[in-house]
């Protein structure tokens, strides 16, 4: 792991543990085993560091999902995506806890938000195709995405407060089924 990655990993750990506002750059530098000068060479402010973490997580989230296969039924594509996003954030609990803190934060820049939105554009396309084919309810796509995201976040909040040794595939499938049942035509 290079110095920059070490700083980002240390920041993630501390930001999740102590919160965005209770984590000074000095604590991140100490946890990363580096000096303040080094940390500021990479990240001139804590906001810049937080935005880089956000963008890195969004890029990893994007690569965690296989491309949508247009030859498969919309329901199958939807189920695969929802299951994959839930599993991604189960497997990466710190990412989820960090994103929970900064999701609506004014710290996240418009540029960073654009990266985040780009990761869900294929989902928008899938929903719109489903609406065109009268498979998915004719509700504003943003509203459907918001609902789906809320279902995922709610489940992950619950999941991460329970005692689990591994992901429960039947529980995840229940969430996928309930979300599909709510948006299907």
């Amino acid at each position: 792991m290079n110095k920059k990655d070490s700083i980002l990993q240390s920041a993630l750990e501390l930001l999740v543990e102590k919160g965005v506002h209770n984590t000074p750059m000095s604590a991140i530098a100490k946890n990363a085993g580096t000096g303040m000068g080094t940390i500021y060479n990479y990240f001139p402010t804590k906001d810049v560091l937080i935005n880089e973490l956000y963008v890195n997580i969004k890029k990893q989230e994007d690569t965690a999902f296989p491309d949508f296969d247009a030859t498969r039924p919309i329901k199958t594509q939807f189920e695969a995506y929802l299951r994959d996003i839930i599993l991604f954030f189960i497997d990466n609990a710190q990412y989820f806890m960090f994103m929970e803190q900064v999701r609506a934060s004014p710290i996240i820049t418009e540029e960073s938000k654009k990266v985040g939105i780009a990761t869900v554009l294929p989902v928008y396309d899938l929903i719109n195709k489903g609406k065109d084919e009268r498979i998915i309810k004719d509700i504003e796509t943003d509203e459907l995405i918001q609902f789906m995201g809320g279902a995922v976040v709610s489940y992950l909040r619950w999941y991460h407060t329970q005692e689990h040794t591994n992901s429960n595939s039947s529980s995840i499938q229940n969430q996928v089924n309930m979300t599909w049942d709510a948006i299907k035509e």
Side-chain angles (χ1 to χ4, degrees):
M1 183 180 299
N2 66 33
K3 188 57 77 173
K4 185 177 183 181
D5 291 339
S6 176
I7 293 167
L8 287 169
Q9 183 59 41
S10 293
L12 178 64
E13 291 167 6
L14 289 175
L15 292 166
V16 166
E17 179 186 335
K18 298 184 181 298
V20 170
H21 300 294
N22 294 326
T23 306
M25 289 289 269
S26 58
I28 295 169
K30 182 178 180 181
N31 195 47
T34 191
M36 290 300 292
T38 302
I39 200 168
Y40 283 119
N41 280 336
Y42 291 106
F43 308 102
T45 68
K46 187 165 78 170
D47 287 2
V48 170
L49 186 149
I50 288 170
N51 274 276
E52 183 142 349
L53 262 175
Y54 176 89
V55 167
N56 284 348
I57 291 169
K58 284 299 188 179
K59 286 180 179 177
Q60 287 182 51
E61 182 182 325
D62 191 36
T63 61
F65 313 115
D67 292 332
F68 287 100
D69 181 354
T71 63
R72 295 169 58 202
I74 288 171
K75 178 183 179 192
T76 304
Q77 294 178 66
F78 171 86
E79 289 173 333
Y81 171 77
L82 212 64
R83 186 175 40 259
D84 287 348
I85 194 162
I86 289 170
L87 287 171
F88 175 79
F89 283 113
I90 284 173
D91 293 341
N92 298 283
Q94 284 189 323
Y95 290 175
F96 175 73
M97 290 180 245
F98 172 77
M99 295 304 268
E100 277 285 88
Q101 289 186 54
V102 300
R103 186 177 319 274
S105 171
I107 294 171
I108 303 303
T109 65
E110 287 304 314
E111 185 178 320
S112 295
K113 288 177 186 175
K114 285 179 184 175
V115 173
I117 290 170
T119 65
V120 293
L121 287 178
V123 182
Y124 275 82
D125 293 341
L126 180 68
I127 297 299
N128 286 330
K129 183 177 180 191
K131 286 169 41 178
D132 290 344
E133 294 180 18
R134 301 193 61 155
I135 295 168
I136 294 175
K137 290 179 177 154
D138 189 19
I139 296 173
E140 287 294 321
T141 304
D142 283 336
E143 192 174 346
L144 289 167
I145 296 286
Q146 183 65 33
F147 173 80
M148 291 163 38
V152 169
V153 167
S154 179
Y155 177 74
L156 289 167
R157 284 179 185 152
W158 171 81
Y159 181 89
H160 287 301
T161 61
Q162 305 301 304
E163 293 293 324
H164 297 283
T165 55
N166 58 14
S167 58
N168 180 334
S169 60
S170 65
S171 176
I172 294 169
Q173 190 59 47
N174 290 340
Q175 297 304 307
V176 170
N177 292 343
M178 288 187 289
T179 306
W180 174 253
D181 287 347
I183 70 164
K184 72 180 180 181
E185 181 81 18

